[in-house]
Amino acid sequence: MKNQVFEDSYKKTTELNQDIYQGWMDHSLFTWHWWIGIALIVIPLLLWLKFRNKNSQDRLLFAGVVVAIISAALDYMGTFFGKWRYDYEVYPALSNYIPFSFFALPIAVMFLLQVKPKMNPFLKALIFAVFSIIALPIVKWIGIYEPVKWNYLYSFIIQYFIYLIAHYISRKTKFQPLEE
């Protein structure tokens, strides 16, 4: 026996997703806002490929993937619960702003981890968190991001702890070779 509430919700969600996709095709794809998103993917990625510490690449990528997972999960929850929205996603099937969650934030963390690795991690976390206080009003002003029920201070605190988690993970030494 099917639950009618879930069936009705599924139908509404599917229709809404089709509307969102069509709106993205008509009003977002290939606009200058959309190209900013593409630049926020390509530029950090190219900088990472050129300036990464190749000797620590695997360790940094591990920390970067963790940052991407945490950022994407929190970003999804924020949009799901209506705390903020993105008006010009690079691709609308994900409610995350892909350039931030999967590229800019993880790559910024990886660079911070590799530059002055002995520097106090709490100070680096503060630097990373200040980035959110600077970046979020800029992307709001550009029209990409709209905080609905959100205070920038919350992002500051979250980014601070995301960096500390990445720092901790990047220092792990328990990796052993895989054996048969």
Side-chain angles (χ1 to χ4, degrees), residues 95-173:
S95 64
N96 301 29
Y97 192 64
I98 295 167
F100 289 157
S101 296
F102 294 106
F103 293 92
L105 295 178
I107 290 172
V109 166
M110 291 187 294
F111 275 128
L112 277 171
L113 289 170
Q114 80 176 25
V115 173
K116 296 192 183 277
K118 296 191 189 292
M119 185 175 166
N120 184 323
F122 297 101
L123 182 56
K124 282 187 167 183
L126 184 62
I127 292 167
F128 182 66
V130 166
F131 171 76
S132 69
I133 295 295
I134 295 169
L136 289 175
I138 292 171
V139 292
K140 180 187 182 323
W141 178 71
I142 291 171
I144 292 173
Y145 164 77
E146 183 63 42
V148 178
K149 298 174 188 170
W150 194 250
N151 185 310
Y152 296 136
L153 180 61
Y154 305 151
S155 294
F156 176 86
I157 294 166
I158 291 168
Q159 297 302 333
Y160 184 84
F161 286 106
I162 286 175
Y163 180 84
L164 290 178
I165 292 167
H167 174 83
Y168 172 77
I169 287 171
S170 73
R171 300 305 192 256
K172 299 298 284 176
T173 59

